[in-house]
Amino acid sequence: MALAGEVTGLVIGWIVSTIAVWLALKIFPGKQKRESLLGAAVTALVGALIYWFFHAVFRIPFISGVLAFFVWLYALRKLQGVGWLGAFGLAILIWIINGVFSLFLPTLL
């Protein structure tokens, strides 16, 4: 039963992150490559896999987080066709939107 709970949490987290990425892409000025909901889902999945990989390999939270952040910025650049500054802006916007979601979602689940 624990595995089912973890998979459910993973799927719900992916859906919430997809919505956050999609909103950030819509808010962010300019035309990104993958502004669709499917493109946002791919971007959210890539970001989750990057963070999972670095936290699994480098078991030191601060170092793995910093390394994952820079790889995530690079992935945002490639996936969305923006520069380093654009990727940083998108990452901050996604972080803020996820923060707002986290204020409300724990009460819904």
Side-chain angles (χ1 to χ4, degrees):
M1 191 64 146
L3 180 62
E6 287 184 28
V7 170
T8 301
L10 176 71
V11 170
I12 290 172
W14 184 33
I15 291 169
V16 170
S17 290
T18 297
I19 294 169
V21 170
W22 182 74
L23 285 173
L25 291 171
K26 293 298 180 185
I27 293 169
F28 196 76
K31 184 78 173 154
Q32 287 66 249
K33 277 189 194 175
R34 293 178 170 83
E35 276 192 15
S36 67
L37 197 55
L38 180 62
V42 169
T43 303
L45 182 61
V46 167
L49 290 174
I50 288 169
Y51 275 92
W52 172 81
F53 174 78
F54 278 94
H55 287 293
V57 171
F58 296 102
R59 302 196 179 257
I60 303 170
F62 180 75
I63 292 173
S64 63
V66 169
L67 290 172
F69 179 72
F70 284 109
V71 174
W72 170 231
L73 288 181
Y74 180 77
L76 274 175
R77 284 186 63 227
K78 293 300 180 183
L79 288 169
Q80 298 302 331
V82 295
W84 282 105
L85 206 55
F88 184 74
L90 274 172
I92 296 299
L93 198 53
I94 292 166
W95 180 71
I96 290 170
I97 292 169
N98 270 326
V100 171
F101 284 170
S102 71
L103 294 174
F104 300 105
L105 286 179
T107 59
L108 297 176
L109 300 175

